[in-house]
Amino acid sequence: MKSNIGVIGLSVMGMNLALNMADNGYKVSIFNRTTSVVDKVMEEHGHENFIPTHSLKEFVDSLEKPRRIFLMVKSGAPVDMLIEQLIPLVDKNDIIIDGGNSYFKDTIRRTKYLKEKEINFLGVGISGGEEGARFGPAIMPGGDKEAYSYLAEIFEKISAKAYGEACCKYLSTDGAGHYVKMVHNGIEYADMQLIAEAYTLLKRVAGFSNEELHNIFEEWNNSELESYLIEITSNILKVKEDNKYLLDIIMDKASQKGTGKWTNLEAIDLGVDISVITAALNGRFMSNLKDERIKGERIIEAKVSKLEDFNIGREEFVGLVKNALYVSKIVSYAQGFKLLSVAEKEYGWDFNFSEIAKIFRGGCIIRAKFLNDISDAFKEEEHIDNLMFTKFFANEINTRLTDLRELVSIAVQSGVAVSAMTSALEYIDTYRTSQSSANMIQAQRDYFGAHTFERTDKEGSYHFDWTASEKN
């Protein structure tokens, strides 16, 4: 009997996805370049629906047609090398699926390349980490819609379920799936940074203990802030090792794998402000300058305020932080969806933003209660310029904006860096400013470079002889 699908690459993610498929009743062929890994998987995690193979030819021959070949290998050159090895072994209309964190432009290139050979290619974003892969990830498929129809049942069965719906929907052509996953990861960076800033303010400015912070975040997780990241933050705050809080002895250096960088580079290329996500990425860069930060603490003097200087109690301060976090979170998602909106036009995709929000509701790292509100907002209102302009979220921002403004002011005067929250506030203030300072910038550009400018009193482009005006 032939397998329904095959998985190449048996690292933890690949193995867990294969087990997930097998648990859902699908026959799964498995293969790994280091073939001893196949034997180890069978020994430690052998499943009655697994078919182990020890060569690519044996693997390909074990699959029913059209063959569905799921690649779970390192992004970049390894994907291209594996595709080249598969091409002489597969047939017309077979489907190769890349489930790794591939760069979306690589996916576009591979789709075109394989289409010329009459082989289908899908780029599929997978979110949820090891546990998600095993028990239900969020799945973001992109590629040929007809080819996806051969995978739809499998993907929807193995995906996470939220509110009775599969966290998997076909997105659009070629690189759309990996693009949405890239933006998801950018939002994830922002979400984590904002929570870290909230934690820092509560600990450093208000002086809450870890136990108190655990209770605060646990309470927040039963509010509009309910989310996976708030939940695990609460859990982290209570863990002890040798009678010490583990969090307090973790070095304050945060790593990153590159998808946040991709999101920022793409936003620059498309001219989209994702400043909260950028602040989060910069925060990770700065965190790794540990020795320089230690030196800076000694060299740069700063007179900072304490919470009691602001005539505000600790419990009131908790409310400020909560509201500021919520508004900033709205902004980070608004920026992410704005980038998706611009990319849709740039790359000829056709996104359903309400459905994208639904995909994010389960399985993935940014899953959160208010994604229901985002989905509803996109469903209820057409041609949305920015998520912040929708009725629901405009009201949420207007209700809490004063708190964000006050909290940023307290943070600045307390000498606590909150770059992501500050960026959120600046983004809102920029958007609500009909007359900006850009007229001065354009005048400067025209002065030194004759770049011309538009006028408010008549149409057209104009250049002014500024130096002649000086002489007069």
Side-chain angles (χ1 to χ4, degrees), residues 52 101 282:
N101 268 335
N282 286 337

Side-chain angles (χ1 to χ4, degrees), residues 256-268:
Q256 50 104 14
K257 290 186 176 179
T259 48
K261 176 183 174 182
W262 288 349
T263 312
N264 278 280
L265 290 174
E266 177 64 9
I268 291 169

Side-chain angles (χ1 to χ4, degrees), residues 11 87 104 130 137 157 163 187 237 241 245 253 302-303 313 356 358-359 437 447 463 468:
S11 63
I87 286 172
F104 78 98
E130 298 173 14
K157 274 194 175 182
Y163 306 92
I187 295 172
L237 283 158
E241 183 182 84
Y245 283 103
K253 295 167 67 174
K303 183 179 180 181
I356 290 174
K358 285 184 178 181
I359 292 173
S437 58
Y447 192 113
H463 167 63

Side-chain angles (χ1 to χ4, degrees), residues 139-141 145 165 168-173 176-177 180 337 340-341 343-345 348-361 371-372 374-384 387:
I139 303 179
M140 296 152 251
K145 195 168 187 178
E165 296 183 74
C168 171
K169 289 288 188 301
Y170 173 78
L171 293 170
S172 195
T173 56
V180 171
F337 276 93
L340 289 174
S341 176
E344 178 186 40
K345 299 178 180 68
W349 294 326
D350 183 18
F351 285 145
N352 183 324
F353 298 109
S354 178
E355 292 296 334
I356 290 174
K358 285 184 178 181
I359 292 173
F360 293 164
R361 294 183 305 178
L371 281 159
N372 288 312
I374 294 177
S375 179
D376 290 344
F378 280 115
K379 190 184 299 180
E380 292 166 5
E381 301 183 36
E382 295 182 1
H383 311 298
I384 296 172
L387 185 65

Side-chain angles (χ1 to χ4, degrees), residues 72-269:
M72 287 301 296
V73 298
K74 187 178 179 181
S75 62
V79 177
D80 290 317
M81 290 172 59
L82 191 49
I83 286 172
E84 290 301 321
Q85 292 170 351
L86 285 168
I87 286 172
L89 301 175
V90 300
D91 295 326
K92 176 181 175 181
N93 296 325
D94 282 350
I95 308 163
I96 298 174
I97 308 113
D98 177 13
N101 268 335
S102 288
Y103 183 46
F104 78 98
K105 287 187 177 178
D106 287 341
T107 305
I108 293 173
R109 170 179 56 80
R110 290 166 184 147
T111 301
K112 183 179 179 181
Y113 174 65
L114 288 170
K115 186 176 182 180
E116 292 170 353
K117 301 180 182 298
E118 299 184 284
I119 300 169
N120 293 302
F121 186 73
L122 299 178
V124 179
I126 306 283
S127 179
E130 298 173 14
E131 184 178 348
R134 181 66 183 88
F135 301 108
I139 303 179
M140 296 152 251
D144 181 78
K145 195 168 187 178
E146 184 179 351
Y148 173 70
S149 69
Y150 290 96
L151 276 302
E153 180 190 282
I154 297 175
F155 283 176
E156 289 176 17
K157 274 194 175 182
I158 69 168
S159 72
K161 308 298 184 294
Y163 306 92
E165 296 183 74
C167 296
C168 171
K169 289 288 188 301
Y170 173 78
L171 293 170
S172 195
T173 56
D174 50 55
H178 279 139
Y179 196 98
V180 171
K181 175 58 164 56
M182 177 190 75
V183 174
H184 161 283
N185 284 18
I187 295 172
E188 177 186 309
Y189 274 52
D191 222 344
M192 294 170 72
Q193 178 68 25
L194 289 167
I195 292 170
E197 290 178 4
Y199 151 76
T200 299
L201 286 165
L202 291 168
K203 190 174 183 70
R204 288 182 54 188
V205 178
F208 284 103
S209 67
N210 284 16
E211 182 179 357
E212 290 171 317
L213 288 168
H214 159 69
N215 293 329
I216 288 168
F217 279 95
E218 187 174 56
E219 183 179 330
W220 285 359
N221 200 43
N222 292 309
S223 71
E224 63 271 22
L225 285 173
E226 179 187 325
S227 68
Y228 172 72
L229 286 170
I230 291 289
E231 177 187 351
I232 68 169
T233 300
S234 175
N235 294 340
I236 287 167
L237 283 158
K238 67 181 180 181
V239 173
K240 289 185 177 181
E241 183 182 84
D242 298 329
N243 211 32
K244 295 178 182 177
Y245 283 103
L246 181 58
L247 180 62
D248 293 343
I249 55 175
I250 293 177
M251 181 72 72
D252 58 327
K253 295 167 67 174
S255 303
Q256 50 104 14
K257 290 186 176 179
T259 48
K261 176 183 174 182
W262 288 349
T263 312
N264 278 280
L265 290 174
E266 177 64 9
I268 291 169
D269 284 345

Side-chain angles (χ1 to χ4, degrees), residues 272-313:
V272 179
D273 182 340
I274 58 165
S275 50
V276 180
I277 296 170
T278 303
L281 181 63
N282 286 337
R284 297 197 187 191
F285 292 155
M286 291 296 292
S287 77
N288 283 279
L289 301 178
K290 178 68 174 178
D291 292 341
E292 293 179 39
R293 289 189 287 113
I294 292 172
K295 185 184 294 184
E297 190 175 44
R298 294 196 306 265
I299 295 172
I300 301 172
E301 298 178 357
K303 183 179 180 181
V304 297
S305 303
K306 299 291 184 181
L307 185 60
E308 51 265 28
D309 297 326
F310 301 103
N311 194 30
I312 182 173

